[in-house]
Amino acid sequence: MPHWSWWAGGVALALVPIANWVLLRRILAVSGRFTALVDRLRHGPDEQQEEMSTEELIAALREATAREFGEDAVQPEAPAVATGSQPAQPATSLGVHAIFLLGLLLGGLASALLAGALEPTASLHGTLFASLSGGGSLPAAPWLLAGGVLVGFGTRMAGGCTSGHGLCGVSRFQPGSLLATVAFFATGVVTSFALGALL
Amino acid sequence: MTARVLNGAVGVGFGFVLSRIGFTSWDDVHRMFTFADLRLLLSFALAVGILTLGWLVLHRLPGSRWTPRPIHRGTLAGGALFGVGWALSGACPSIALAQIGEGQLGALWTVAGSTAGNWLYSVVHERYFRWTIGSCADS
């Protein structure tokens, strides 16, 4: 796979949240889309549709207040009312999240096809990973499954991942995002050095 | 309908960009975390820098939702667990899907794991924790 130079990559990486904001008026936040879909799987479609979302109500009240009395009258938004059990993204229909996630997959596919580098494997590409997993697809599974569980658990617990916290939260100087980003980079570094000893 | 097309378009663009930067490569992510290759870190830092300036203009667009991200009791621990998972699997939630698209089908395990982990946290949170976790609820 041909890689862009670091600066071209940085510009492109910034354009994604910008496009997301300009087109959809939302902060790019991918783990939140996972959360919305998982909640739908957990609770089923009926409950989801009937539920009048608190967040939606608050947002509407906030907008009305701003219209009536100006932006200054609107208090800084209180910490999210949603708990772990409530649907995280009630304002957007779930099909849209599924389509976004499918888009990520198609983007990877397009990149590989255009580069003529589509080489399907049951494992991951890369020699370092191969030496970690022993080169086979089956030995790779435990690493990937365990890593995946930690990614899903951790991003939901922290309320964000690399996109919502790392890119969009840090650039907006959000305290929760700064802390989460420092935390995941730190443990990523420690874990990778530990893995490096095994390679 | 429009929302679907726009969401799909941003998703495709993001997947493509992640792939061409090299974020979908387990090896490159490993070299980023061990500082053996600074390319990914530099790209990330540049993107954050551009966005910092960009928000000055962008947050004034009508209809914007400026969602705050306060620190809560899950922030540190959750971030720490995510970092371990990223280093092991070579993927954050977006990357895993782009990897599958590239033909790295091992990432199906990663997606299965992260879906299970997300689910598991919501169950654990309901049973044992009593703080609000916020969410990446703004997309």
Side-chain angles (χ1 to χ4, degrees), chain A residues 6 21 25 33 42 85 89 111 121 125 127-128 148 156 171-172 174 176 187, chain B residues 7 19-20 27 43 55 58 62 69 80 103-105 114 118 122 126 136 139:
Chain A
W6 71 269
W21 183 267
R25 290 292 191 281
R33 292 175 180 268
R42 260 192 93 194
S85 67
Q89 304 188 320
S111 166
T121 165
H125 296 147
T127 51
L128 289 176
R156 182 152 190 176
S171 62
R172 296 185 300 141
Q174 295 297 309
T187 56
Chain B
N7 274 273
S19 170
R20 289 304 170 97
D27 285 17
S43 292
W55 296 126
L58 292 171
R69 300 289 181 112
Q104 305 193 73
L105 301 181
S114 63
N118 185 303
S122 69
E126 274 170 30
C136 249
S139 57

PDB file of all heavy atoms in Angstrom, chain A residues 6 21 25 33 42 85 89 111 121 125 127-128 148 156 171-172 174 176 187, chain B residues 7 19-20 27 43 55 58 62 69 80 103-105 114 118 122 126 136 139:
ATOM      1  N   TRP A   6       3.878  12.494   5.489  1.00  0.00           N
ATOM      2  CA  TRP A   6       3.241  12.795   6.777  1.00  0.00           C
ATOM      3  C   TRP A   6       2.369  14.036   6.702  1.00  0.00           C
ATOM      4  O   TRP A   6       1.293  14.094   7.281  1.00  0.00           O
ATOM      5  CB  TRP A   6       4.293  12.934   7.884  1.00  0.00           C
ATOM      6  CG  TRP A   6       5.133  14.175   7.784  1.00  0.00           C
ATOM      7  CD1 TRP A   6       6.324  14.296   7.132  1.00  0.00           C
ATOM      8  CD2 TRP A   6       4.831  15.462   8.329  1.00  0.00           C
ATOM      9  NE1 TRP A   6       6.775  15.578   7.227  1.00  0.00           N
ATOM     10  CE2 TRP A   6       5.898  16.312   7.968  1.00  0.00           C
ATOM     11  CE3 TRP A   6       3.783  15.980   9.099  1.00  0.00           C
ATOM     12  CZ2 TRP A   6       5.943  17.654   8.338  1.00  0.00           C
ATOM     13  CZ3 TRP A   6       3.819  17.320   9.473  1.00  0.00           C
ATOM     14  CH2 TRP A   6       4.888  18.145   9.094  1.00  0.00           C
ATOM     15  N   TRP A  21     -18.236  17.803   9.869  1.00  0.00           N
ATOM     16  CA  TRP A  21     -18.856  18.956  10.509  1.00  0.00           C
ATOM     17  C   TRP A  21     -19.635  19.797   9.499  1.00  0.00           C
ATOM     18  O   TRP A  21     -20.785  20.183   9.732  1.00  0.00           O
ATOM     19  CB  TRP A  21     -17.784  19.802  11.195  1.00  0.00           C
ATOM     20  CG  TRP A  21     -18.317  20.968  11.949  1.00  0.00           C
ATOM     21  CD1 TRP A  21     -18.471  22.233  11.512  1.00  0.00           C
ATOM     22  CD2 TRP A  21     -18.785  20.955  13.304  1.00  0.00           C
ATOM     23  NE1 TRP A  21     -19.009  23.019  12.498  1.00  0.00           N
ATOM     24  CE2 TRP A  21     -19.204  22.266  13.609  1.00  0.00           C
ATOM     25  CE3 TRP A  21     -18.886  19.968  14.291  1.00  0.00           C
ATOM     26  CZ2 TRP A  21     -19.727  22.621  14.846  1.00  0.00           C
ATOM     27  CZ3 TRP A  21     -19.397  20.324  15.525  1.00  0.00           C
ATOM     28  CH2 TRP A  21     -19.804  21.626  15.797  1.00  0.00           C
ATOM     29  N   ARG A  25     -22.796  18.588  10.566  1.00  0.00           N
ATOM     30  CA  ARG A  25     -22.810  19.412  11.783  1.00  0.00           C
ATOM     31  C   ARG A  25     -22.609  18.562  13.040  1.00  0.00           C
ATOM     32  O   ARG A  25     -23.213  18.821  14.064  1.00  0.00           O
ATOM     33  CB  ARG A  25     -24.121  20.171  11.928  1.00  0.00           C
ATOM     34  CG  ARG A  25     -24.304  21.275  10.937  1.00  0.00           C
ATOM     35  CD  ARG A  25     -23.309  22.421  11.184  1.00  0.00           C
ATOM     36  NE  ARG A  25     -23.688  23.579  10.383  1.00  0.00           N
ATOM     37  CZ  ARG A  25     -23.428  23.692   9.085  1.00  0.00           C
ATOM     38  NH1 ARG A  25     -22.723  22.767   8.485  1.00  0.00           N
ATOM     39  NH2 ARG A  25     -23.824  24.752   8.416  1.00  0.00           N
ATOM     40  N   ARG A  33     -20.905   5.774  17.307  1.00  0.00           N
ATOM     41  CA  ARG A  33     -21.779   5.113  16.335  1.00  0.00           C
ATOM     42  C   ARG A  33     -21.882   3.625  16.659  1.00  0.00           C
ATOM     43  O   ARG A  33     -22.949   3.027  16.545  1.00  0.00           O
ATOM     44  CB  ARG A  33     -21.242   5.327  14.921  1.00  0.00           C
ATOM     45  CG  ARG A  33     -21.333   6.795  14.460  1.00  0.00           C
ATOM     46  CD  ARG A  33     -20.668   6.961  13.109  1.00  0.00           C
ATOM     47  NE  ARG A  33     -20.703   8.325  12.610  1.00  0.00           N
ATOM     48  CZ  ARG A  33     -21.662   8.817  11.818  1.00  0.00           C
ATOM     49  NH1 ARG A  33     -22.689   8.066  11.476  1.00  0.00           N
ATOM     50  NH2 ARG A  33     -21.603  10.056  11.391  1.00  0.00           N
ATOM     51  N   ARG A  42     -29.039  -4.471  21.761  1.00  0.00           N
ATOM     52  CA  ARG A  42     -29.376  -4.881  23.130  1.00  0.00           C
ATOM     53  C   ARG A  42     -30.855  -4.702  23.432  1.00  0.00           C
ATOM     54  O   ARG A  42     -31.478  -5.543  24.053  1.00  0.00           O
ATOM     55  CB  ARG A  42     -28.595  -4.024  24.133  1.00  0.00           C
ATOM     56  CG  ARG A  42     -27.375  -4.683  24.703  1.00  0.00           C
ATOM     57  CD  ARG A  42     -26.869  -3.872  25.876  1.00  0.00           C
ATOM     58  NE  ARG A  42     -27.422  -4.342  27.125  1.00  0.00           N
ATOM     59  CZ  ARG A  42     -27.363  -3.656  28.248  1.00  0.00           C
ATOM     60  NH1 ARG A  42     -26.798  -2.477  28.286  1.00  0.00           N
ATOM     61  NH2 ARG A  42     -27.862  -4.143  29.362  1.00  0.00           N
ATOM     62  N   SER A  85     -26.877   2.851  29.733  1.00  0.00           N
ATOM     63  CA  SER A  85     -27.967   2.011  29.257  1.00  0.00           C
ATOM     64  C   SER A  85     -28.817   2.710  28.212  1.00  0.00           C
ATOM     65  O   SER A  85     -29.557   2.088  27.484  1.00  0.00           O
ATOM     66  CB  SER A  85     -28.849   1.610  30.424  1.00  0.00           C
ATOM     67  OG  SER A  85     -29.507   2.753  30.918  1.00  0.00           O
ATOM     68  N   GLN A  89     -27.208   7.949  20.758  1.00  0.00           N
ATOM     69  CA  GLN A  89     -27.336   8.916  19.687  1.00  0.00           C
ATOM     70  C   GLN A  89     -28.746   8.937  19.149  1.00  0.00           C
ATOM     71  O   GLN A  89     -29.007   8.566  18.014  1.00  0.00           O
ATOM     72  CB  GLN A  89     -26.368   8.556  18.571  1.00  0.00           C
ATOM     73  CG  GLN A  89     -24.955   8.467  19.097  1.00  0.00           C
ATOM     74  CD  GLN A  89     -23.987   8.306  17.983  1.00  0.00           C
ATOM     75  OE1 GLN A  89     -24.235   7.593  17.040  1.00  0.00           O
ATOM     76  NE2 GLN A  89     -22.868   8.989  18.072  1.00  0.00           N
ATOM     77  N   SER A 111      -9.252   2.010  -1.466  1.00  0.00           N
ATOM     78  CA  SER A 111      -7.830   2.314  -1.371  1.00  0.00           C
ATOM     79  C   SER A 111      -6.982   1.143  -1.865  1.00  0.00           C
ATOM     80  O   SER A 111      -6.040   1.317  -2.639  1.00  0.00           O
ATOM     81  CB  SER A 111      -7.475   2.646   0.082  1.00  0.00           C
ATOM     82  OG  SER A 111      -6.080   2.623   0.269  1.00  0.00           O
ATOM     83  N   THR A 121      -6.323 -11.795   3.211  1.00  0.00           N
ATOM     84  CA  THR A 121      -5.679 -12.704   4.138  1.00  0.00           C
ATOM     85  C   THR A 121      -6.616 -12.919   5.313  1.00  0.00           C
ATOM     86  O   THR A 121      -7.386 -12.029   5.655  1.00  0.00           O
ATOM     87  CB  THR A 121      -4.338 -12.138   4.638  1.00  0.00           C
ATOM     88  OG1 THR A 121      -3.926 -12.899   5.788  1.00  0.00           O
ATOM     89  CG2 THR A 121      -4.463 -10.677   5.049  1.00  0.00           C
ATOM     90  N   HIS A 125      -2.036  -7.983   7.399  1.00  0.00           N
ATOM     91  CA  HIS A 125      -0.785  -7.811   6.661  1.00  0.00           C
ATOM     92  C   HIS A 125       0.332  -7.417   7.633  1.00  0.00           C
ATOM     93  O   HIS A 125       0.071  -6.955   8.735  1.00  0.00           O
ATOM     94  CB  HIS A 125      -0.923  -6.707   5.601  1.00  0.00           C
ATOM     95  CG  HIS A 125      -1.929  -7.036   4.537  1.00  0.00           C
ATOM     96  ND1 HIS A 125      -2.693  -6.077   3.915  1.00  0.00           N
ATOM     97  CD2 HIS A 125      -2.306  -8.229   3.981  1.00  0.00           C
ATOM     98  CE1 HIS A 125      -3.501  -6.654   3.018  1.00  0.00           C
ATOM     99  NE2 HIS A 125      -3.279  -7.956   3.041  1.00  0.00           N
ATOM    100  N   THR A 127       4.842  -7.895   8.517  1.00  0.00           N
ATOM    101  CA  THR A 127       5.783  -8.913   8.987  1.00  0.00           C
ATOM    102  C   THR A 127       5.913  -8.915  10.503  1.00  0.00           C
ATOM    103  O   THR A 127       6.111  -9.955  11.113  1.00  0.00           O
ATOM    104  CB  THR A 127       7.175  -8.666   8.369  1.00  0.00           C
ATOM    105  OG1 THR A 127       7.522  -7.297   8.598  1.00  0.00           O
ATOM    106  CG2 THR A 127       7.158  -8.926   6.872  1.00  0.00           C
ATOM    107  N   LEU A 128       5.797  -7.724  11.119  1.00  0.00           N
ATOM    108  CA  LEU A 128       5.885  -7.683  12.579  1.00  0.00           C
ATOM    109  C   LEU A 128       4.723  -8.453  13.201  1.00  0.00           C
ATOM    110  O   LEU A 128       4.909  -9.249  14.116  1.00  0.00           O
ATOM    111  CB  LEU A 128       5.865  -6.226  13.078  1.00  0.00           C
ATOM    112  CG  LEU A 128       7.102  -5.385  12.817  1.00  0.00           C
ATOM    113  CD1 LEU A 128       6.871  -3.951  13.274  1.00  0.00           C
ATOM    114  CD2 LEU A 128       8.294  -5.985  13.557  1.00  0.00           C
ATOM    115  N   GLY A 148      -9.635  -6.367  20.568  1.00  0.00           N
ATOM    116  CA  GLY A 148     -10.919  -5.787  20.199  1.00  0.00           C
ATOM    117  C   GLY A 148     -11.823  -5.569  21.401  1.00  0.00           C
ATOM    118  O   GLY A 148     -12.465  -4.521  21.530  1.00  0.00           O
ATOM    119  N   ARG A 156     -15.942   2.821  25.150  1.00  0.00           N
ATOM    120  CA  ARG A 156     -17.258   3.165  25.715  1.00  0.00           C
ATOM    121  C   ARG A 156     -17.098   3.735  27.118  1.00  0.00           C
ATOM    122  O   ARG A 156     -17.785   4.669  27.507  1.00  0.00           O
ATOM    123  CB  ARG A 156     -18.177   1.944  25.726  1.00  0.00           C
ATOM    124  CG  ARG A 156     -19.549   2.302  26.258  1.00  0.00           C
ATOM    125  CD  ARG A 156     -20.642   1.440  25.712  1.00  0.00           C
ATOM    126  NE  ARG A 156     -21.928   2.010  26.101  1.00  0.00           N
ATOM    127  CZ  ARG A 156     -23.091   1.538  25.719  1.00  0.00           C
ATOM    128  NH1 ARG A 156     -23.144   0.490  24.935  1.00  0.00           N
ATOM    129  NH2 ARG A 156     -24.219   2.104  26.109  1.00  0.00           N
ATOM    130  N   SER A 171      -8.283  18.887  19.848  1.00  0.00           N
ATOM    131  CA  SER A 171      -8.175  20.143  19.103  1.00  0.00           C
ATOM    132  C   SER A 171      -9.150  21.196  19.616  1.00  0.00           C
ATOM    133  O   SER A 171      -9.024  22.369  19.300  1.00  0.00           O
ATOM    134  CB  SER A 171      -8.413  19.893  17.610  1.00  0.00           C
ATOM    135  OG  SER A 171      -9.714  19.402  17.384  1.00  0.00           O
ATOM    136  N   ARG A 172     -10.133  20.760  20.440  1.00  0.00           N
ATOM    137  CA  ARG A 172     -11.057  21.720  21.064  1.00  0.00           C
ATOM    138  C   ARG A 172     -10.708  21.937  22.533  1.00  0.00           C
ATOM    139  O   ARG A 172     -11.476  22.524  23.290  1.00  0.00           O
ATOM    140  CB  ARG A 172     -12.502  21.229  20.933  1.00  0.00           C
ATOM    141  CG  ARG A 172     -12.977  21.142  19.479  1.00  0.00           C
ATOM    142  CD  ARG A 172     -14.446  20.764  19.390  1.00  0.00           C
ATOM    143  NE  ARG A 172     -14.714  19.462  19.995  1.00  0.00           N
ATOM    144  CZ  ARG A 172     -15.805  19.199  20.721  1.00  0.00           C
ATOM    145  NH1 ARG A 172     -16.710  20.116  20.935  1.00  0.00           N
ATOM    146  NH2 ARG A 172     -15.967  17.999  21.222  1.00  0.00           N
ATOM    147  N   GLN A 174     -10.762  19.930  25.068  1.00  0.00           N
ATOM    148  CA  GLN A 174     -11.729  19.374  26.016  1.00  0.00           C
ATOM    149  C   GLN A 174     -10.979  18.550  27.067  1.00  0.00           C
ATOM    150  O   GLN A 174     -10.207  17.656  26.698  1.00  0.00           O
ATOM    151  CB  GLN A 174     -12.736  18.500  25.273  1.00  0.00           C
ATOM    152  CG  GLN A 174     -13.618  19.278  24.299  1.00  0.00           C
ATOM    153  CD  GLN A 174     -14.474  20.300  25.004  1.00  0.00           C
ATOM    154  OE1 GLN A 174     -15.165  19.989  25.959  1.00  0.00           O
ATOM    155  NE2 GLN A 174     -14.420  21.554  24.544  1.00  0.00           N
ATOM    156  N   GLY A 176     -11.735  16.110  29.159  1.00  0.00           N
ATOM    157  CA  GLY A 176     -11.911  14.658  29.117  1.00  0.00           C
ATOM    158  C   GLY A 176     -11.139  14.032  27.962  1.00  0.00           C
ATOM    159  O   GLY A 176     -10.564  12.955  28.091  1.00  0.00           O
ATOM    160  N   THR A 187      -0.617   3.927  27.399  1.00  0.00           N
ATOM    161  CA  THR A 187      -0.685   2.465  27.506  1.00  0.00           C
ATOM    162  C   THR A 187      -0.399   1.801  26.155  1.00  0.00           C
ATOM    163  O   THR A 187       0.098   0.680  26.118  1.00  0.00           O
ATOM    164  CB  THR A 187      -2.052   1.994  28.037  1.00  0.00           C
ATOM    165  OG1 THR A 187      -3.085   2.514  27.202  1.00  0.00           O
ATOM    166  CG2 THR A 187      -2.266   2.445  29.469  1.00  0.00           C
TER     167      THR A 187
ATOM    168  N   ASN B   7     -23.476  10.594   5.166  1.00  0.00           N
ATOM    169  CA  ASN B   7     -22.776   9.765   6.148  1.00  0.00           C
ATOM    170  C   ASN B   7     -21.922   8.715   5.454  1.00  0.00           C
ATOM    171  O   ASN B   7     -20.777   8.475   5.850  1.00  0.00           O
ATOM    172  CB  ASN B   7     -23.785   9.077   7.077  1.00  0.00           C
ATOM    173  CG  ASN B   7     -24.163   9.945   8.251  1.00  0.00           C
ATOM    174  OD1 ASN B   7     -23.495   9.940   9.279  1.00  0.00           O
ATOM    175  ND2 ASN B   7     -25.223  10.725   8.098  1.00  0.00           N
ATOM    176  N   SER B  19      -6.412   4.301   5.362  1.00  0.00           N
ATOM    177  CA  SER B  19      -5.639   3.310   4.622  1.00  0.00           C
ATOM    178  C   SER B  19      -4.383   3.932   4.009  1.00  0.00           C
ATOM    179  O   SER B  19      -3.286   3.384   4.128  1.00  0.00           O
ATOM    180  CB  SER B  19      -6.530   2.708   3.539  1.00  0.00           C
ATOM    181  OG  SER B  19      -5.770   1.928   2.652  1.00  0.00           O
ATOM    182  N   ARG B  20      -4.540   5.101   3.386  1.00  0.00           N
ATOM    183  CA  ARG B  20      -3.401   5.710   2.687  1.00  0.00           C
ATOM    184  C   ARG B  20      -2.389   6.355   3.622  1.00  0.00           C
ATOM    185  O   ARG B  20      -1.221   6.548   3.272  1.00  0.00           O
ATOM    186  CB  ARG B  20      -3.895   6.732   1.662  1.00  0.00           C
ATOM    187  CG  ARG B  20      -4.573   6.098   0.464  1.00  0.00           C
ATOM    188  CD  ARG B  20      -3.646   5.096  -0.216  1.00  0.00           C
ATOM    189  NE  ARG B  20      -4.343   4.304  -1.224  1.00  0.00           N
ATOM    190  CZ  ARG B  20      -4.334   4.565  -2.520  1.00  0.00           C
ATOM    191  NH1 ARG B  20      -3.689   5.600  -2.979  1.00  0.00           N
ATOM    192  NH2 ARG B  20      -4.987   3.786  -3.354  1.00  0.00           N
ATOM    193  N   ASP B  27       1.796  -3.126  11.606  1.00  0.00           N
ATOM    194  CA  ASP B  27       3.226  -2.848  11.734  1.00  0.00           C
ATOM    195  C   ASP B  27       3.491  -1.354  11.929  1.00  0.00           C
ATOM    196  O   ASP B  27       4.300  -0.957  12.775  1.00  0.00           O
ATOM    197  CB  ASP B  27       3.978  -3.333  10.483  1.00  0.00           C
ATOM    198  CG  ASP B  27       4.122  -4.855  10.461  1.00  0.00           C
ATOM    199  OD1 ASP B  27       3.385  -5.530  11.201  1.00  0.00           O
ATOM    200  OD2 ASP B  27       4.962  -5.356   9.692  1.00  0.00           O
ATOM    201  N   SER B  43       1.506  13.033  11.313  1.00  0.00           N
ATOM    202  CA  SER B  43       0.242  13.247  10.608  1.00  0.00           C
ATOM    203  C   SER B  43      -0.865  13.580  11.606  1.00  0.00           C
ATOM    204  O   SER B  43      -1.658  14.504  11.400  1.00  0.00           O
ATOM    205  CB  SER B  43      -0.164  11.994   9.817  1.00  0.00           C
ATOM    206  OG  SER B  43       0.717  11.779   8.752  1.00  0.00           O
ATOM    207  N   TRP B  55     -11.607  24.989  13.917  1.00  0.00           N
ATOM    208  CA  TRP B  55     -12.792  25.167  14.776  1.00  0.00           C
ATOM    209  C   TRP B  55     -13.115  26.637  15.007  1.00  0.00           C
ATOM    210  O   TRP B  55     -14.276  26.992  15.249  1.00  0.00           O
ATOM    211  CB  TRP B  55     -12.606  24.492  16.130  1.00  0.00           C
ATOM    212  CG  TRP B  55     -12.470  23.007  16.094  1.00  0.00           C
ATOM    213  CD1 TRP B  55     -11.470  22.259  16.635  1.00  0.00           C
ATOM    214  CD2 TRP B  55     -13.379  22.059  15.503  1.00  0.00           C
ATOM    215  NE1 TRP B  55     -11.689  20.927  16.393  1.00  0.00           N
ATOM    216  CE2 TRP B  55     -12.843  20.778  15.708  1.00  0.00           C
ATOM    217  CE3 TRP B  55     -14.582  22.183  14.798  1.00  0.00           C
ATOM    218  CZ2 TRP B  55     -13.476  19.618  15.243  1.00  0.00           C
ATOM    219  CZ3 TRP B  55     -15.215  21.032  14.339  1.00  0.00           C
ATOM    220  CH2 TRP B  55     -14.650  19.773  14.569  1.00  0.00           C
ATOM    221  N   LEU B  58     -15.254  27.025  12.081  1.00  0.00           N
ATOM    222  CA  LEU B  58     -16.306  26.023  11.878  1.00  0.00           C
ATOM    223  C   LEU B  58     -17.399  26.066  12.940  1.00  0.00           C
ATOM    224  O   LEU B  58     -18.556  25.817  12.646  1.00  0.00           O
ATOM    225  CB  LEU B  58     -15.673  24.619  11.859  1.00  0.00           C
ATOM    226  CG  LEU B  58     -14.787  24.322  10.655  1.00  0.00           C
ATOM    227  CD1 LEU B  58     -14.044  23.011  10.867  1.00  0.00           C
ATOM    228  CD2 LEU B  58     -15.629  24.252   9.397  1.00  0.00           C
ATOM    229  N   PRO B  62     -24.051  27.768  11.329  1.00  0.00           N
ATOM    230  CA  PRO B  62     -25.365  27.587  11.954  1.00  0.00           C
ATOM    231  C   PRO B  62     -25.676  26.109  12.163  1.00  0.00           C
ATOM    232  O   PRO B  62     -25.278  25.270  11.356  1.00  0.00           O
ATOM    233  CB  PRO B  62     -26.324  28.211  10.929  1.00  0.00           C
ATOM    234  CG  PRO B  62     -25.571  28.241   9.651  1.00  0.00           C
ATOM    235  CD  PRO B  62     -24.131  28.382  10.002  1.00  0.00           C
ATOM    236  N   ARG B  69     -16.642  17.664  26.409  1.00  0.00           N
ATOM    237  CA  ARG B  69     -16.123  16.355  26.833  1.00  0.00           C
ATOM    238  C   ARG B  69     -15.479  16.499  28.206  1.00  0.00           C
ATOM    239  O   ARG B  69     -14.262  16.628  28.305  1.00  0.00           O
ATOM    240  CB  ARG B  69     -15.081  15.854  25.845  1.00  0.00           C
ATOM    241  CG  ARG B  69     -15.567  15.654  24.428  1.00  0.00           C
ATOM    242  CD  ARG B  69     -16.492  14.467  24.383  1.00  0.00           C
ATOM    243  NE  ARG B  69     -16.960  14.230  23.029  1.00  0.00           N
ATOM    244  CZ  ARG B  69     -16.606  13.171  22.310  1.00  0.00           C
ATOM    245  NH1 ARG B  69     -15.797  12.290  22.793  1.00  0.00           N
ATOM    246  NH2 ARG B  69     -17.085  13.015  21.103  1.00  0.00           N
ATOM    247  N   ALA B  80      -7.049   4.118  29.162  1.00  0.00           N
ATOM    248  CA  ALA B  80      -5.914   3.212  29.374  1.00  0.00           C
ATOM    249  C   ALA B  80      -6.199   1.832  28.777  1.00  0.00           C
ATOM    250  O   ALA B  80      -5.335   1.237  28.109  1.00  0.00           O
ATOM    251  CB  ALA B  80      -5.612   3.094  30.864  1.00  0.00           C
ATOM    252  N   GLY B 103      -8.940  -6.160   2.838  1.00  0.00           N
ATOM    253  CA  GLY B 103      -8.705  -7.598   2.706  1.00  0.00           C
ATOM    254  C   GLY B 103      -8.009  -8.214   3.907  1.00  0.00           C
ATOM    255  O   GLY B 103      -7.672  -9.392   3.889  1.00  0.00           O
ATOM    256  N   GLN B 104      -7.797  -7.408   4.958  1.00  0.00           N
ATOM    257  CA  GLN B 104      -7.196  -7.955   6.180  1.00  0.00           C
ATOM    258  C   GLN B 104      -8.321  -8.536   7.038  1.00  0.00           C
ATOM    259  O   GLN B 104      -8.790  -7.928   7.995  1.00  0.00           O
ATOM    260  CB  GLN B 104      -6.443  -6.869   6.945  1.00  0.00           C
ATOM    261  CG  GLN B 104      -5.384  -6.142   6.118  1.00  0.00           C
ATOM    262  CD  GLN B 104      -4.467  -5.314   6.987  1.00  0.00           C
ATOM    263  OE1 GLN B 104      -3.616  -5.822   7.705  1.00  0.00           O
ATOM    264  NE2 GLN B 104      -4.652  -3.999   6.940  1.00  0.00           N
ATOM    265  N   LEU B 105      -8.744  -9.736   6.671  1.00  0.00           N
ATOM    266  CA  LEU B 105      -9.968 -10.280   7.266  1.00  0.00           C
ATOM    267  C   LEU B 105      -9.804 -10.688   8.728  1.00  0.00           C
ATOM    268  O   LEU B 105     -10.784 -10.935   9.422  1.00  0.00           O
ATOM    269  CB  LEU B 105     -10.464 -11.465   6.429  1.00  0.00           C
ATOM    270  CG  LEU B 105     -10.771 -11.099   4.960  1.00  0.00           C
ATOM    271  CD1 LEU B 105     -11.290 -12.313   4.201  1.00  0.00           C
ATOM    272  CD2 LEU B 105     -11.780  -9.953   4.881  1.00  0.00           C
ATOM    273  N   SER B 114     -14.636  -5.816  19.634  1.00  0.00           N
ATOM    274  CA  SER B 114     -14.978  -4.469  20.090  1.00  0.00           C
ATOM    275  C   SER B 114     -16.491  -4.307  20.245  1.00  0.00           C
ATOM    276  O   SER B 114     -16.957  -3.580  21.121  1.00  0.00           O
ATOM    277  CB  SER B 114     -14.384  -3.397  19.171  1.00  0.00           C
ATOM    278  OG  SER B 114     -14.909  -3.485  17.886  1.00  0.00           O
ATOM    279  N   ASN B 118     -17.937  -3.321  23.839  1.00  0.00           N
ATOM    280  CA  ASN B 118     -18.858  -2.198  23.988  1.00  0.00           C
ATOM    281  C   ASN B 118     -20.112  -2.653  24.739  1.00  0.00           C
ATOM    282  O   ASN B 118     -20.566  -2.007  25.695  1.00  0.00           O
ATOM    283  CB  ASN B 118     -19.211  -1.672  22.585  1.00  0.00           C
ATOM    284  CG  ASN B 118     -20.074  -0.431  22.620  1.00  0.00           C
ATOM    285  OD1 ASN B 118     -21.155  -0.441  23.198  1.00  0.00           O
ATOM    286  ND2 ASN B 118     -19.620   0.641  21.997  1.00  0.00           N
ATOM    287  N   SER B 122     -21.539  -1.703  28.716  1.00  0.00           N
ATOM    288  CA  SER B 122     -22.852  -1.149  29.041  1.00  0.00           C
ATOM    289  C   SER B 122     -23.529  -1.978  30.136  1.00  0.00           C
ATOM    290  O   SER B 122     -24.210  -1.433  31.002  1.00  0.00           O
ATOM    291  CB  SER B 122     -23.734  -1.044  27.791  1.00  0.00           C
ATOM    292  OG  SER B 122     -24.100  -2.327  27.329  1.00  0.00           O
ATOM    293  N   GLU B 126     -24.209  -0.525  34.032  1.00  0.00           N
ATOM    294  CA  GLU B 126     -25.537  -0.545  34.649  1.00  0.00           C
ATOM    295  C   GLU B 126     -25.514  -1.223  36.004  1.00  0.00           C
ATOM    296  O   GLU B 126     -26.186  -0.804  36.938  1.00  0.00           O
ATOM    297  CB  GLU B 126     -26.512  -1.314  33.757  1.00  0.00           C
ATOM    298  CG  GLU B 126     -27.148  -0.460  32.698  1.00  0.00           C
ATOM    299  CD  GLU B 126     -27.916  -1.307  31.699  1.00  0.00           C
ATOM    300  OE1 GLU B 126     -28.431  -2.375  32.081  1.00  0.00           O
ATOM    301  OE2 GLU B 126     -27.970  -0.893  30.530  1.00  0.00           O
ATOM    302  N   CYS B 136     -19.619   9.187  22.909  1.00  0.00           N
ATOM    303  CA  CYS B 136     -19.222   9.801  21.651  1.00  0.00           C
ATOM    304  C   CYS B 136     -20.540  10.090  20.980  1.00  0.00           C
ATOM    305  O   CYS B 136     -20.770   9.733  19.846  1.00  0.00           O
ATOM    306  CB  CYS B 136     -18.407   8.813  20.829  1.00  0.00           C
ATOM    307  SG  CYS B 136     -16.707   9.291  20.680  1.00  0.00           S
ATOM    308  N   SER B 139     -22.138  12.261  17.103  1.00  0.00           N
ATOM    309  CA  SER B 139     -22.046  12.171  15.655  1.00  0.00           C
ATOM    310  C   SER B 139     -23.422  11.919  15.071  1.00  0.00           C
ATOM    311  O   SER B 139     -24.324  11.516  15.742  1.00  0.00           O
ATOM    312  CB  SER B 139     -21.103  11.055  15.251  1.00  0.00           C
ATOM    313  OG  SER B 139     -21.513   9.838  15.786  1.00  0.00           O
TER     314      SER B 139
END
